[in-house]
Structure formats: structure tokens, C-alpha cells
Amino acid sequence: MSIVKAKDLVYEYERRDEEGNVESIVRAIDGVQLDVAPGDFIAILGHNGSGKSTLAKHLNALLVPTEGTVWVDGMDTSDESHLLDVRQRAGMVFQNPDNQIIASIVEEDVGFGPENIGMPTEEIWRRVEESLKAVGMYEYRQHSPNRLSGGQKQRIAIAGIMAMRPKCIVLDEPTAMLDPVGRKEVLQTVRKLNREENVTVILITHYMDEVIEADRIFVMDYGKIVMQGKPREIFSHVEELEQLRLDVPQVTKLAYELKKAGMPIRDTILNVDEFVEEMVWQMKGETA
Ligand SMILES: Nc1ncnc2c1ncn2[C@@H]1O[C@H](COP(=O)(O)OP(=O)(O)O)[C@@H](O)[C@H]1O
Ligand SMILES: [Mg+2]
């Protein structure tokens, strides 16, 4: 069974004038099919305005479809009686860590979700401890969140979601406001949760190096999914990606240019290690 599924999804934003008449319509999602298996690490790419955030908001019923259907763990998100369950199954992490922190002590912030749904105190503390350990922030439990770095704040936000024991985490450009150290911390945390806790991850980002380890990549353009596949398949389409105003990882581009210039490089290169291996192979070939 799928953890997240969208069928023929269309979403239109309506702009209304003062009398409440529809002034204009923006079709932000235009016929999207999505099927995510439990435990998958999915990445969604696309330039600004391609519909990524609008799609993400459908995955925990912040938006409901104009047309088509979205299911989270088998529940139709447009059925209001499922709202709390849907939000518990699929937690959202947003771009700005400062907007996601509510309490003035880390552990209270992480316990906010469980407390809000009336969980017994003992269970709340158990989950807070477990979640803070899972994101590597347990030693900061008594700290004030506003003294933490951006990367640490995002990990606290992720812990707050983990405390609800979601099956799926949707992260909408969670590293866009972070420095390189913070980006790395957050990415490592997300990967660890995916591997060790088997949480399904849907990561929206425009950093190409963050998606090369994804199980599958979806590329969006004008509200449609225009490419999908494993990272190596996606990044073999250097020119198509450039037409979609997306980059490939720098080392992938370098290998691609060398190949275009006549060097017999074998496959799509995704990281520095593969590039080095390929260069060594080439050199040995020349001296043999
Ligand atoms: N609240 C809104 N009202 C009207 N149009 C919107 C709103 N939010 C987004 N849009 C439009 O919907 C399209 C998709 O936006 P969005 O989902 O934010 O894309 P992305 O996250 O890929 O940058 C864009 O054309 C954007 O201008
Ligand atoms: Mg967005």
C-alpha cells in the first residue's frame, strides 16, 4: 500500500475582488499523479513557482484538491473527519525554523504536539526524550530554542514532528535558510530517520547535492511532474534539466562536459568519489 498517493490532482488558487467575485485563477497543480511507498526517500525538484509547496501542503491537508484525490495512509485528505489523523501521519517541516518554534524551552517545544492532543504526561516525556535523541539534540533539552543555530532549530522542529510518531515527514526547503553546517546537520538527521526509524521522507529542495541519495526524484514544472526516476537517471538528462532551470551536481556537469568533449566516461557521475574512480580508470587505460 502507498503511504502517500495523489490521483489526477489539480489545485487552483482563486483571487477574489472586494465583492468576492473571482478575479483570476492560478492553476498551481495540473494533473499530478504521485505514489510513494512506505519507507521511501523521495525528493521533489523544480524551479520557483513550479508548484512544489502547493503539492506539499496537500500531503497534510493544509490544502485540499480542487480536483482529484490525495490519500495519506489510505485516508482521503478531503474528508474532514480524517484531518487530525492525516496531520499526525504526515508532519510538515517548513523553510523558516523561527516560525516553527513555540515554547521557550526545547523539551516543552517538542512536547507541544503530543500535549495538544491530550496525551498522558508520562507518554509525552517518553516521546520527547526519544525524539530529541533521534535528532541528536537531547543534551539541549533544557536550552532556550532562540539561542540555538538555524540547523539546531530545524532539528528541534523535526523532533517535534517525530514526537507525534508520523509515518511520513514532508520537508519544504528545510535547509534554504541555513549555513552549510546547518544544512549538513539537517540532511544527516533526515537520512538517519529514514534509515533507522523507517520514516518516509518527502524532501523539497533546490540543492542538488541533497537529492543524490534519494530513492526517487520527481521534477516539477508549471504544476506538472515532468520527470521522475532514480537520481542517476534524472541527472543523466543534463540539458533537459537546464531547460527546466535546474542544475545538476557540479561534478556531474564536469563529467558530462568532459564526455561531450570526447572523453570516454562511462555513466552519469554523481559524486566526487565516482569522478576520481573514473579519472583513475582513464589514466590507467592510457598507460596500458
Ligand atoms: N496563496 C496563493 N495565492 C495565489 N497564487 C499562489 C499562492 N501560492 C502560490 N501561488 C502560485 O501558485 C504557483 C505555485 O506556487 P508554489 O506552490 O509556491 O511553487 P514552489 O513552491 O515550487 O515555488 C505559483 O504560480 C504561485 O505564484
Ligand atoms: Mg515553495
Side-chain angles (χ1 to χ4, degrees):
M1 199 170 93
S2 329
I3 180 72
V4 168
K5 191 175 159 91
K7 186 168 181 291
D8 305 324
L9 176 61
V10 171
Y11 187 79
E12 291 176 338
Y13 290 101
E14 289 181 349
R15 236 175 243 128
R16 290 173 186 272
D17 63 17
E18 279 156 21
E19 274 103 59
N21 301 312
V22 177
E23 229 174 17
S24 65
I25 289 179
V26 179
R27 186 171 274 228
I29 302 285
D30 190 8
V32 160
Q33 323 292 340
L34 194 67
D35 200 340
V36 179
D40 268 0
F41 191 130
I42 297 294
I44 301 180
L45 299 176
H47 62 80
N48 278 342
S50 59
K52 305 181 300 296
S53 293
T54 305
L55 178 60
K57 286 175 187 156
H58 279 82
L59 307 184
N60 81 340
L62 285 173
L63 294 175
V64 292
T66 306
E67 291 170 27
T69 315
V70 174
W71 295 270
V72 171
D73 204 17
M75 294 177 286
D76 183 339
T77 62
S78 65
D79 182 342
E80 274 180 39
S81 68
H82 290 150
L83 191 63
L84 290 179
D85 283 331
V86 165
R87 299 231 166 117
Q88 187 272 320
R89 291 314 145 81
M92 282 278 280
V93 177
F94 298 95
Q95 196 176 91
N96 189 340
D98 291 319
N99 294 346
Q100 300 176 76
I101 295 199
I102 300 156
S104 56
I105 306 285
V106 165
E107 59 189 0
E108 283 171 12
D109 193 78
V110 175
F112 186 81
E115 188 169 4
N116 216 19
I117 59 169
M119 201 175 282
T121 311
E122 221 170 279
E123 177 67 12
I124 296 176
W125 288 117
R126 187 157 53 225
R127 290 198 183 192
V128 167
E129 181 177 334
E130 168 191 290
S131 307
L132 280 171
K133 283 180 176 164
V135 302
M137 288 296 290
Y138 184 64
E139 63 196 279
Y140 292 88
R141 63 193 178 281
Q142 306 277 6
H143 286 227
S144 161
N146 55 38
R147 306 266 299 273
L148 302 176
S149 72
Q152 290 173 324
K153 284 181 195 165
Q154 280 300 51
R155 283 151 69 199
I156 298 299
I158 294 170
I161 284 164
M162 287 302 291
M164 301 297 281
R165 300 223 177 116
K167 292 190 176 177
C168 178
I169 305 189
V170 182
L171 305 107
D172 190 355
E173 305 202 27
T175 61
M177 301 178 74
L178 306 183
D179 61 20
V181 175
R183 279 181 55 199
K184 211 168 174 181
E185 283 173 15
V186 168
L187 247 287
Q188 276 172 353
T189 303
V190 171
R191 269 195 218 113
K192 176 169 171 271
L193 293 175
N194 176 249
R195 282 184 196 149
E196 293 174 15
E197 316 282 331
N198 207 31
V199 177
T200 310
V201 170
I202 300 180
L203 173 69
I204 296 172
T205 181
H206 55 254
Y207 292 110
M208 297 302 138
D209 53 330
E210 294 183 352
V211 307
I212 56 178
E213 285 178 54
D215 295 312
R216 215 147 39 113
I217 296 178
F218 292 87
V219 181
M220 294 191 70
D221 191 37
Y222 293 108
K224 291 187 160 72
I225 289 174
V226 291
M227 289 170 86
Q228 57 177 297
K230 292 189 182 304
R232 206 174 293 280
E233 290 157 11
I234 296 291
F235 290 130
S236 67
H237 299 281
V238 174
E239 278 162 21
E240 285 100 315
L241 287 168
E242 283 175 347
Q243 273 163 14
L244 294 166
R245 287 173 277 165
L246 295 171
D247 286 324
V248 300
Q250 272 185 348
V251 67
T252 305
K253 173 91 176 165
L254 177 59
Y256 173 81
E257 292 296 339
L258 288 171
K259 190 171 182 170
K260 225 167 90 177
M263 219 185 228
I265 291 177
R266 292 165 303 173
D267 293 321
T268 304
I269 300 290
L270 286 186
N271 57 45
V272 171
D273 288 344
E274 290 180 6
F275 186 80
V276 170
E277 205 175 282
E278 186 63 28
M279 288 300 114
V280 169
W281 178 265
Q282 299 276 335
M283 276 162 51
K284 280 187 184 152
E286 268 174 30
T287 54

